[in-house]
Amino acid sequence: TVLSEADETEGTSRESTYVRTYHRGESVSIVKIEEFPHMERIRGKLDNGGWVSIKNTADGFMWIQKIDINHTGGYSEFHLIR
């Protein structure tokens, strides 16, 4: 679940090309999670190929929260939370 507005980008970097913004309460399907210490971020690769920030590792701020433990089609469901 999306907790706070989260921007999707084409690549792993937050500075890569902007795709769209997800809003609070929306669901996203994340297929891969990676930590990027140099960006102080944990980011997720979406099933459409884009990337979103999940958590700021410096201050603990979260944009997206996992809500579904069940796996559907190999993907986990996540929601923006703020």
Side-chain angles (χ1 to χ4, degrees):
T1 300
V2 175
L3 302 174
S4 183
E5 287 189 351
D7 292 337
E8 177 183 342
T9 60
E10 287 183 355
T12 58
S13 170
R14 295 179 299 139
E15 307 304 320
S16 65
T17 303
Y18 167 84
V19 176
R20 67 163 285 192
T21 298
Y22 291 93
H23 300 281
R24 185 175 190 216
E26 286 189 74
S27 295
V28 293
S29 292
I30 295 177
V31 298
K32 182 179 185 180
I33 296 173
E34 286 191 39
E35 184 171 359
F36 297 91
H38 65 285
M39 291 190 292
E40 298 180 329
R41 292 289 190 275
I42 295 173
R43 291 182 49 85
K45 184 175 184 177
L46 301 168
D47 62 353
N48 68 4
W51 288 81
V52 292
S53 290
I54 296 172
K55 183 177 183 178
N56 180 322
T57 57
D59 65 13
F61 182 86
M62 292 188 63
W63 289 268
I64 298 175
Q65 175 181 33
K66 184 175 181 178
I67 61 146
D68 182 15
I69 297 174
N70 297 323
H71 296 277
T72 307
Y75 303 117
S76 295
E77 184 175 312
F78 293 77
H79 293 275
L80 298 179
I81 52 179
R82 288 190 185 144

